């Protein structure tokens, strides 16, 4: 079980697989006023940076589930590096339908809401693991500027304009689901660059090391086109944020 190979190549050097920076995760952790020993569940935990740093900084305990063997391995290595292997565990697997045995104080899905079939479905899934008084975290893109055409949406990596909402509509959608938005931390363009632009050097080095690989043409084409695509579309049109929610 694995994710498409392109991510395993282009994001192999990423610690954070979304437009958040280490500072943003620290801000979010502080904003949540995490008590030591709080249990955190993270669906689509990537390379484990959120759980590992919060385990170090806030003494939380956590479980992360991710479909990528590489990212899961990196998460385990990061836990060792930060000395938190007794507090966090990382499981390689499909997080769709995953419900924790023991209820958690924070249930998160940060940049992987397809796991629950979209934002609403993911909130419903996470709610099954949440203890009373707990907080759900949803990391999700939104339209900073509504694209005038479907081709602009595609340029942003979306299938269609309807894939994402504007920020007011996204925040309003949590209200519609009867959740209080109790905090939020938003990414910015610098964060988008750390996520997107950081792939370019990784792809270039991979190409230099693997010129004869079956995948080399695809990576070559992407490295050629991605910088311009990013500054034309994603950087200008897409926002991204993590929203902290509590059921009413
Ligand atoms: N939350 C992490 C990773 C976000 S990127 C971070 O903030 O860095 C999305 C992640 O979802 C990737 O790590 C990918 O491997 C994982 N993923 C994709 N589909 C999944 C699934 N069905 N179950 C579990 N993880 C999945």
């Amino acid at each position: 079980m694995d994710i498409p190979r392109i991510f395993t190549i282009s994001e192999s050097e990423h610690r954070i697989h979304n437009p958040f920076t280490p500072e943003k995760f620290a801000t979010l952790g502080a904003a949540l006023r995490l008590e030591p020993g709080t249990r955190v569940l993270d669906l689509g935990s990537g390379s484990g940076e959120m759980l590992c740093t919060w385990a170090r900084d806030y003494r939380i305990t956590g479980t992360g589930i991710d479909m990528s063997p590489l990212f899961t391995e990196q998460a385990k290595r990061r836990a060792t590096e930060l000395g938190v292997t007794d507090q966090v565990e990382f499981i390689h697997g499909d997080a769709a339908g995953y419900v924790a045995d023991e209820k958690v104080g924070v249930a998160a899905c940060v940049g992987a809401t397809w796991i629950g079939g979209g934002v609403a479905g993911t909130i419903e899934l996470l709610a099954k693991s949440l203890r009373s008084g707990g907080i759900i975290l949803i990391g999700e893109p939104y339209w900073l500027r509504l694209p005038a055409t479907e081709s602009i949406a595609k340029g942003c990596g979306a299938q269609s304009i309807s894939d994402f909402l504007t920020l007011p509509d996204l925040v309003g959608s949590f209200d519609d689901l009867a959740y209080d938005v109790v905090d939020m931390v938003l990414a910015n363009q610098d964060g988008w660059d750390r996520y997107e632009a950081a792939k370019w050097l990784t792809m270039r080095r991979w190409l230099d090391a693997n010129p004869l690989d079956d995948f080399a043409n695809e990576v070559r084409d992407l490295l050629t086109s991605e910088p311009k695509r990013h500054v034309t579309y994603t950087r200008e049109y897409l926002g991204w944020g993590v929203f902290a929610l509590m059921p009413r």
Side-chain angles (χ1 to χ4, degrees):
M1 188 192 301
D2 205 346
I3 57 173
R5 188 173 176 212
I6 187 60
F7 299 111
T8 306
I9 295 171
S10 65
E11 298 186 27
S12 60
E13 296 292 324
H14 283 49
R15 276 199 183 134
I16 298 171
H17 305 267
N18 68 53
F20 252 25
T21 56
E23 294 74 26
K24 294 281 180 183
F25 268 129
T27 300
L28 178 63
L32 297 176
R33 304 169 207 164
L34 298 163
E35 300 283 344
T38 300
R39 271 194 303 280
V40 181
L41 173 68
D42 191 10
L43 304 187
S45 43
S47 299
E49 192 67 4
M50 182 178 87
L51 286 182
C52 290
T53 54
W54 287 1
R56 177 194 62 193
D57 299 338
Y58 304 110
R59 312 297 304 158
I60 58 105
T61 65
T63 301
I65 296 107
D66 199 280
M67 208 181 224
S68 161
L70 175 71
F71 297 168
T72 305
E73 203 43 54
Q74 291 181 164
K76 290 177 182 170
R77 219 179 305 137
R78 187 68 173 143
T80 303
E81 213 170 85
L82 297 188
V84 295
T85 48
D86 55 337
Q87 289 162 259
V88 293
E89 63 166 344
F90 292 99
I91 300 166
H92 170 236
D94 188 346
Y98 186 92
V99 178
D101 295 337
E102 222 179 328
K103 300 227 168 183
V104 301
V106 176
C109 180
V110 176
T113 53
W114 55 85
I115 285 172
V119 170
T122 299
I123 291 175
E124 204 182 315
L125 172 61
L126 292 170
K128 293 180 184 163
S129 298
L130 197 67
R131 73 160 166 73
S132 131
I135 292 178
I136 286 179
L137 297 179
I138 292 286
E140 183 72 1
Y142 56 86
W143 294 120
L144 212 52
R145 279 163 65 187
L146 201 60
T149 64
E150 288 293 337
S151 87
I152 294 175
K154 289 200 167 67
C156 295
Q159 302 289 323
S160 106
I161 297 173
S162 64
D163 281 9
F164 306 128
L165 300 173
T166 61
L167 183 56
D169 286 350
L170 181 57
V171 167
S173 76
F174 300 131
D175 174 38
D176 295 343
L177 294 168
Y179 277 82
D180 287 328
V181 180
V182 296
D183 211 328
M184 66 175 195
V185 177
L186 303 183
N188 58 29
Q189 285 183 315
D190 291 338
W192 271 117
D193 294 344
R194 284 311 82 231
Y195 178 46
E196 294 293 343
K199 297 176 189 177
W200 307 337
L201 180 59
T202 308
M203 287 197 283
R204 174 55 200 256
R205 295 233 162 111
W206 184 90
L207 273 173
D208 289 348
N210 301 276
L212 302 177
D213 193 285
D214 286 349
F215 220 60
N217 285 342
E218 193 165 323
V219 174
R220 175 70 259 166
D221 289 349
L222 265 183
L223 177 57
T224 304
S225 58
E226 273 293 290
K228 184 155 180 216
R229 186 203 63 77
H230 171 61
V231 298
T232 309
Y233 297 112
T234 305
R235 198 174 198 280
E236 293 304 310
Y237 284 89
L238 268 189
W240 197 91
V242 178
F243 302 86
L245 314 171
M246 292 177 77
R248 279 186 200 133

